[in-house]
Amino acid sequence: MYAIDYEDFGTPAPVNGQAGTAADVTVEIDGHAVTVPDGTSVMRAAALAGVHVPKLCATDTLKAFGSCRLCLVEIEGRKGYPASCTTTVAAGMKIRTQSDKLMQLRRSVMELYLSDYPIERQPTAAEARTELLSMAETLGVHSSPYANGRRHVGQAKDESNPYFTFDPNLCIVCSRCVRACDETQGTFALTIQGRGFESKVAASQDEPFLESECVSCGACVEACPTAALTEKSIVALGAPERAVTTTCAYCGVGCGFKAEVQGEGADTEVVRMVPDRDGKANHGHACVKGRFAWGYATHTDRVLKPMIRNSIHDDWREVSWQEAISYAASEIKRIQAKYGRDSVGGITSSRCTNEETFLVQKLVRAAFGNNNVDTCARVCHSPTGYGLKNTLGESAGTQAFDSVMKADAIMIIGANPTDGHPVFASQLKRRLRQGAKLIIADPRQTALVRTPHIEADEHLQLKPGTNVALLNALAHVVVTEGLTKDDYIAERCEADSYARWKAFVAEPRNSPEASESITGVPAQRVRHAARLYAKAGNAAIYYGLGVTEHSQGTTAVMGIANLAMATGNLGREGVGVNPLRGQNNVQGSCDMGSFPHEFSAYRHVSDPAVRKSFEQVWGVPLQSEPGLRIPNMFEAALDGTFKAMYVQGEDFVQSDPNTHHVNAAMASLECCIVQDLFLNETAKFAHVFLPGSSFLEKDGTFTNAERRTSLVRKVLEPLAGYQDWEITCLLSNALGYPMNYRNASEIMEEIARLTPTFAGMTHDRITQLGSIQWPVHDAAPEGTPTMHVGQFVRGKGKFWATEYVPTSEKVNTRFPLILTTGRILTQYNVGAQTRRTGNVVWHKEDVLEIHPHDAEVRGIADGDWVGLTSRAGDTVLRAKVSDKIAPGVVYTTFHFPETNANVVTTENSDWATNCPEYKVTAVEVVLVNQKEAWEKRAEAERALPRRTPKRRRQDPTPA
């Protein structure tokens, strides 16, 4: 069922077709001249002229199909009645969409459809809005003379999926659901099974939807013109009444959505979320999380009253907002008076809006009076910021997502788009089906290695921790085989840095043959991959946390930038260096100045001119020395010099490595203020809990992985009374530093005033354009989809010699396996949101993937409980025996606090940014016969945090 405010034009616009070009065609439709791009279907041309031809099998998100025969038209000079969806316009064509004969034909077709449809029963309010019944009403058909014939009746509904139902009794076998699964999602999970009267829609091998290959993206549900596929929320609540445009709060794709609701004010209720067809990041597509997993916003676990307690061992006490804010402010003041100005700090959230994040870092710098602010982006993409800033000049990805449709070769390193960024993955798969080459570098066999109609040209299954060695080997081939773009390099890059890098990678020790013993990847595969990338007309690199979350994360990012510059693959569409951000506003939280050494737009706090611009607007002197990073805060807390923390929308007790160390640090604080939706793991160490607001309860903006800033609009009134930015203002005012904004747009105006890359950004401007990709300023008033066109932001691109330095985390006889971690499609980050939705039916616990050989020698079978142990700690979880992982490597996710996978990860981190090395931990796996004993031990260790000895960190190795 369509979004309630969506107008469907029947067929897609022709590729590269825009009115006003030399390829325009003028036709006559019902006596009126209409000009449209060449290649436009008659149906779409009519719709653009305001004439809507009846249809059932056609929709403008799918290729024309021509099966329903309801859209027949008359064309002067042509025999018969062609289908308007499959007939394209031609100059001078005269088309008639209405006549007695056309009405007779359409009515007859509709009568045939209704002959096998239960038209006799009273439709629900939601059913009445379906295209089938709407078309029947338009044609005046309310019964069928063929209804006494053979019919499909009494078929069982498929209610297995938690979010939608399939009623085959209402299916007209139009194939739209099948085509949506193929063309839009690219999963190919649905098919038309059987022939003639036996034809039916089937999921996989005629299985229930839940057990099939269906990924529950919902494209089939939206495509269905009947009520055969319907959201259960519509069945339960009825049809929505109005829609509010907003932005998804899950991954870094930043999908646009229409929140369809009933009621007004405090009685507003969300009925469903529908992807926005005008969304520039998603183009009307969605995934299971964004479309369906929004129920957490009204879950009974939500904390809606402020709470305080004197000790983390006390019970919580509900208080008024005034008392909670006053208590929090008094504790900050007391601690600073006792321990000094720098004894407190704050953490921003990559799940909150730009406006909220900006205010938290402002609170720390202006009200706390120090630079002790950091963000959860520290533990994911901080190496991206550092690496790209020092090579290209800007701390962000270079392309729009749509750029992938012009790529001839695509390299994916340390990312799993089908699980982590599924809507982008669907677009990526479309390009791959069109013939683009695919190279994957990953320790696991991810879905894109082999999926329907797609197979990677090379899967470089490297050992965890060897990214830099692999990138150097790829570069070695490019340089020694003469595949560099020397003219491009001479024009756009520093000559001396290029010369040093070229000599470095050309050394025999960086050859694929020499690095094979390090990476485990056969040399011939590396050479083939390098040639595919370097010889492609347009080659793009997409990477994720499998690159950044290493001790050499920054070095690997620099290596990727080196490779792109050397092959001339920057500064146009179809190419680029593209970090896939994990959370909805990771990019934005970094842009807003959430790091302790940088103001917004990545400008160092030591720069007096930058500092002065902020001081003039904020009215207070600001510190020139960088503050504490998150790991430094923990160390200072254990040392007794850091005593209070304000945490907005972040659960680092679950997400940060070496959980025992984090717990010990948090337990030593005298005041921890947590602002969140739920009592998460970090809240166990809190003294003040301030109930936050979900994305449905606030106004503001998110910035996605392609630098696209989109509006988040308030759909519901804040359940706890305040939006998150308002709570930060209350705390700041109580501390004596005034923050008096009337709305989120005023905060964005201040951001734009102080942030060069956001200079032209306003909420009104975003509304006008739909979204804006920064930088946006006078020279680029509508934003910048592609970065580094003509020249790099830093002027000349800079190459860096990326020496491979093995991680200090090594296997031995006690810990002979390497653990690497990641995510899964149906869960998100620490699971606080998705664990409180129907998504748990797919993934209700973290499991440990282990290769059959490693499982066999340990006596482990699929589904067994196993103990996972490292030098940092241990946990217990179920084993999943899988050949997707290489021998010697095990893999798990971190979505469930019961598993607490980060108990075993260590404090190793990136040399430049302290981004933790989640992807390499030496472990052992053993069969557990007494699961309860393991769980009790792990629970006791979590409940009684202990301080771990300080471990001297190795000096950082220059890249």
Side-chain angles (χ1 to χ4, degrees), residues 781-924:
E782 296 189 1
T784 311
T786 304
M787 294 285 287
H788 312 296
V789 176
Q791 70 172 20
F792 295 108
V793 171
R794 72 183 306 276
K796 295 283 189 179
K798 184 171 185 176
F799 288 83
W800 292 78
T802 50
E803 188 73 53
Y804 168 66
V805 179
T807 174
S808 60
E809 183 72 5
K810 301 183 185 300
V811 296
N812 54 36
T813 54
R814 184 181 176 192
F815 302 117
L817 304 173
I818 286 291
L819 168 70
T820 191
T821 62
R823 301 181 180 184
I824 198 165
L825 170 65
T826 54
Q827 292 294 332
Y828 173 71
N829 202 262
V830 296
Q833 295 148 274
T834 45
R835 283 186 281 109
R836 292 175 170 91
T837 70
N839 283 25
V840 293
V841 303
W842 290 285
H843 192 76
K844 63 182 180 181
E845 62 184 355
D846 295 317
V847 297
L848 185 76
E849 288 187 14
I850 184 169
H851 189 271
H853 171 76
D854 294 326
E856 182 180 4
V857 298
R858 289 166 175 79
I860 295 169
D862 194 67
D864 282 346
W865 289 102
V866 295
L868 179 66
T869 306
S870 76
R871 62 179 176 84
D874 53 49
T875 187
V876 60
L877 66 173
R878 292 186 192 274
K880 180 179 180 180
V881 180
S882 171
D883 58 7
K884 291 182 178 180
I885 201 80
V889 179
V890 292
Y891 169 88
T892 192
T893 53
F894 57 95
H895 303 303
F896 290 82
E898 296 81 6
T899 304
N900 204 4
N902 282 318
V903 165
V904 302
T905 53
T906 70
E907 69 274 20
N908 277 7
S909 64
D910 174 53
W911 62 268
T913 66
N914 281 135
C915 181
E917 190 175 39
Y918 291 107
K919 304 305 182 188
V920 183
T921 304
V923 297
E924 177 58 295

Side-chain angles (χ1 to χ4, degrees), residues 79-100:
K79 294 181 179 180
Y81 305 91
S84 62
C85 64
T86 55
T87 304
T88 56
V89 295
M93 183 181 280
K94 295 185 177 181
I95 304 153
R96 186 157 56 172
T97 67
Q98 301 293 334
S99 70
D100 290 343

Side-chain angles (χ1 to χ4, degrees), residues 1 4 121-131 133-134 227 230 234-241 262:
M1 186 188 301
I4 58 178
R121 68 182 181 82
Q122 182 66 32
T124 64
E127 239 181 281
R129 279 189 49 221
T130 62
E131 291 173 72
L133 296 188
S134 295
T230 305
I234 287 184
V235 174
L237 300 173
E241 299 165 353
Q262 297 173 341

Side-chain angles (χ1 to χ4, degrees), residues 710-724:
S710 304
L711 284 174
V712 181
R713 291 183 174 90
K714 187 172 67 173
V715 177
L716 308 173
E717 290 301 316
L719 301 187
Y722 292 104
Q723 298 181 48
D724 283 300

Side-chain angles (χ1 to χ4, degrees), residues 9-11 41-44 46 51-59 64-75 80-87 95-98 101-103 105-107 109-110 113 135 139 176 179:
F9 293 97
T11 62
S41 71
V42 168
M43 176 181 284
R44 185 177 181 88
V51 177
H52 293 282
V53 179
K55 61 184 178 60
L56 280 177
C57 72
T59 176
F65 197 55
S67 70
C68 75
R69 315 313 291 174
L70 203 62
C71 71
L72 307 179
V73 294
E74 296 173 348
I75 300 177
Y81 305 91
S84 62
C85 64
T86 55
T87 304
I95 304 153
R96 186 157 56 172
T97 67
Q98 301 293 334
K101 182 61 177 178
L102 287 172
M103 178 61 76
L105 290 170
R106 291 168 182 164
R107 286 174 59 88
V109 169
M110 180 58 71
Y113 276 111
M135 293 296 170
L139 295 172
R176 268 171 58 169
R179 291 152 55 210

